C-alpha cells in the first residue's frame, strides 16, 4: 500500500516511520525539508509540494499543527486541491475544529475526491509505539480502506459518523486532559508547600481510583523540572481554545476548562509554549517564586 504523508513534526514523523517499518511505501512532504532526512534513510520518497504527493499517491495522510496549517495545505498554492480528483483520498489526522474539517471535506468532495478526518489521542511515545487512538469520521468506505494503515499507527480506531464528529471528540478528550494536568500540577505544588514529598503523592495516586498513565508518565519528570516536548504546550492551549469555542456553540458551561486555558496562556506568556504541556506546572510553582519566574523568562 502506497501512501503520502504531510507534516513531519513530533507526531507525523513517528507515524510515518511506523508505516515504513511495516512495509508501506511512503512519500513525505514537510515545509522544513531537513525533517525528512531520517525517513529517507528508511526508504521514504520526498515530494516538493502537497500537490505532488496527491498526484503520486491514491491515499494522502496529513498530520499538521493547527487549523491554519490544515487549511493552507489544502487550499494554498501547490496544495491538495490542485491534484485531488476521483480515485484520490485525503485523510487529515490533525487536531482542528469541526468547521475546518467541514470546509476541507466540501472542497474535496466537489472535486470528486474522498475525505476522512481522523485526529488521534496520544502523544510522542504512543505515536512511536503505534499505540494511538484514532477518532475517524467521514467517508465510511475510505475508513475501511485505510484500516491497515490505522492498525499500524494506532491500537484502536473508532468510526464516529459524519465529518466533524472526530474533531469534536478529540477536542473533548484534550479539554479533559488539559484540565486534569492543571489539577495535577496544583496538587504536586500543594503537597510540596505543605511539607509533603511530591514523589510519595505520585505513589499514593497510582494506587487509587484516579490512577492513570498520564500522571504516571509525567509526574516524575515534572518534579524534576523536565518538560521535554511530547505534546507542545502551545498546541494544548490551541485545543483548549477550540474546545471552549465548541462550548460556546453548544451553550455548555465550562468553568474548569476556562480556568485551565488561562493557565496554559500564562505558561505561553512565560515562554514555555514549545515545552511539553506539563510545563503548565511551572505557572503554579512561580506564583510564590518571583525569582524563579524571572529565571524562566
Amino acid at each position: 500500500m502506497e501512501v503520502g504523508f504531510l507534516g513531519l513534526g513530533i507526531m507525523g514523523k513517528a507515524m510515518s516511520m511506523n508505516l515504513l517499518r511495516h512495509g508501506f511505501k511512503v512519500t513525505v512532504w514537510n515545509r522544513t525539508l531537513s525533517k525528512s532526512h531520517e525517513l529517507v534513510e528508511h526508504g521514504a520518497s520526498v515530494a516538493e509540494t502537497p500537490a505532488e504527493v496527491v498526484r503520486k499517491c491514491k491515499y494522502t495522510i496529513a498530520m499538521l499543527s493547527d487549523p491554519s496549517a490544515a487549511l493552507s495545505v489544502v487550499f494554498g498554492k501547490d496544495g491538495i486541491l490542485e491534484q485531488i480528483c476521483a480515485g484520490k483520498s485525503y485523510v487529515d489526522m490533525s487536531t482542528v475544529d469541526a468547521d475546518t474539517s467541514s470546509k476541507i471535506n466540501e472542497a474535496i468532495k466537489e472535486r470528486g475526491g474522498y475525505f476522512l478526518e481522523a485526529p488521534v489521542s496520544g502523544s510522542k511515545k504512543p505515536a512511536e509505539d503505534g499505540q494511538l487512538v484514532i477518532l475517524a469520521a467521514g467517508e465510511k468506505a475510505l475508513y475501511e480502506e485505510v484500516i491497515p494503515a490505522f492498525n499500524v499507527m494506532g491500537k484502536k480506531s473508532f468510526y464516529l459518523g459524519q465529518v466533524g464528529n472526530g474533531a469534536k471528540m478529540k477536542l473533548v478528550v484534550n479539554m479533559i486532559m488539559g484540565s486534569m494536568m492543571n489539577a495535577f500540577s496544583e496538587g504536586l505544588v500543594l503537597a510540596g508547600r505543605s511539607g509533603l514529598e511530591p514523589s510519595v503523592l505520585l505513589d499514593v495516586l497510582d494506587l487509587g481510583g484516579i490512577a492513570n498513565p498520564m500522571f504516571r508518565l509525567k509526574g516524575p519528570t515534572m518534579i524534576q523540572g523536565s518538560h521535554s516536548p511530547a505534546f507542545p504546550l502551545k498546541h494544548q492551549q490551541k485545543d483548549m481554545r477550540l474546545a471552549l469555542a465548541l462550548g460556546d456553540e453548544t451553550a455548555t458551561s465550562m468553568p474548569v476548562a476556562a480556568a485551565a486555558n488561562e493557565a496554559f496562556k500564562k505558561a505561553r506568556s512565560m515562554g514555555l509554549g514549545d515545552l511539553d504541556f506539563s510545563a503548565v506546572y511551572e505557572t503554579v510553582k512561580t506564583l510564590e517564586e518571583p525569582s524563579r519566574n524571572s529565571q524562566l523568562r
Side-chain angles (χ1 to χ4, degrees):
M1 189 172 183
E2 184 170 4
V3 299
F5 206 103
L6 312 178
L8 302 176
I10 291 173
M11 299 293 288
K13 182 179 179 182
M15 293 160 71
S16 53
M17 186 68 77
N18 273 330
L19 291 170
L20 287 166
R21 287 172 176 160
H22 285 81
F24 287 77
K25 294 181 179 179
V26 183
T27 297
V28 300
W29 171 86
N30 193 71
R31 293 184 195 281
T32 305
L33 184 61
S34 60
K35 290 187 177 182
S36 65
H37 292 167
E38 185 178 351
L39 294 164
V40 170
E41 292 174 3
H42 284 79
S45 302
V46 178
E48 293 186 1
T49 66
E52 184 181 335
V53 175
V54 176
R55 181 184 59 78
K56 182 179 179 182
C57 304
K58 180 178 179 181
Y59 304 100
T60 298
I61 298 169
M63 188 60 164
L64 304 162
S65 59
D66 55 30
S68 176
L71 291 169
S72 174
V73 159
V74 173
F75 294 96
K77 185 177 184 300
D78 297 319
I80 296 298
L81 291 185
E82 293 190 12
Q83 290 292 331
I84 203 79
C85 58
K88 299 282 188 179
S89 300
Y90 185 55
V91 181
D92 192 353
M93 304 185 78
S94 316
T95 298
V96 300
D97 56 289
D99 284 347
T100 296
S101 274
S102 295
K103 288 175 184 175
I104 293 171
N105 177 52
E106 290 168 8
I108 286 175
K109 286 177 68 176
E110 282 178 5
R111 288 161 175 76
Y114 301 98
F115 177 71
L116 193 72
E117 62 171 359
V120 303
S121 180
S123 56
K124 182 180 180 181
K125 189 67 165 60
E128 291 174 341
D129 295 342
Q131 293 292 298
L132 298 169
V133 178
I134 297 170
L135 309 170
E139 186 67 43
K140 182 68 179 292
L142 175 55
Y143 172 76
E144 293 170 350
E145 288 176 27
V146 297
I147 277 290
F150 285 174
N151 287 344
V152 164
M153 295 184 286
K155 63 181 177 180
K156 175 73 174 178
S157 298
F158 291 86
Y159 179 74
L160 301 173
Q162 66 183 12
V163 168
N165 286 350
K168 292 173 184 176
M169 181 68 81
K170 176 60 192 295
L171 292 177
V172 171
V173 169
N174 274 22
M175 178 273 291
I176 295 170
M177 182 174 74
S179 299
M180 285 174 60
M181 178 54 76
N182 273 277
F184 185 44
S185 296
E186 291 179 7
L188 287 173
V189 173
L190 179 61
R193 301 267 190 243
S194 302
L196 303 172
E197 185 59 53
S199 61
V200 176
L201 171 63
L202 297 182
D203 293 336
V204 173
L205 291 174
D206 202 39
L207 294 169
I210 58 172
N212 67 75
M214 183 176 78
F215 292 176
R216 195 175 304 126
L217 175 68
K218 302 290 187 182
T221 55
M222 290 167 68
I223 292 171
Q224 296 165 10
S226 175
H227 305 288
S228 179
F231 179 40
L233 185 145
K234 62 186 178 184
H235 295 331
Q236 174 65 63
Q237 195 269 310
K238 174 261 298 182
D239 293 348
M240 297 300 291
R241 173 173 54 80
L242 294 176
L244 288 167
L246 183 60
D248 286 345
E249 293 173 22
T250 57
T252 302
S253 177
M254 296 165 59
V256 175
N261 184 49
E262 290 302 316
F264 285 116
K265 285 161 62 177
K266 173 67 174 176
R268 287 184 63 191
S269 76
M270 292 166 60
L272 307 178
D274 289 324
L275 299 182
D276 190 73
F277 79 111
S278 61
V280 74
Y281 174 59
E282 302 295 337
T283 68
V284 187
K285 288 174 64 178
T286 55
L287 287 177
E288 297 183 25
E289 297 180 11
S291 62
R292 169 79 169 152
N293 190 10
S294 62
Q295 290 172 13
L296 282 168
R297 288 179 184 277

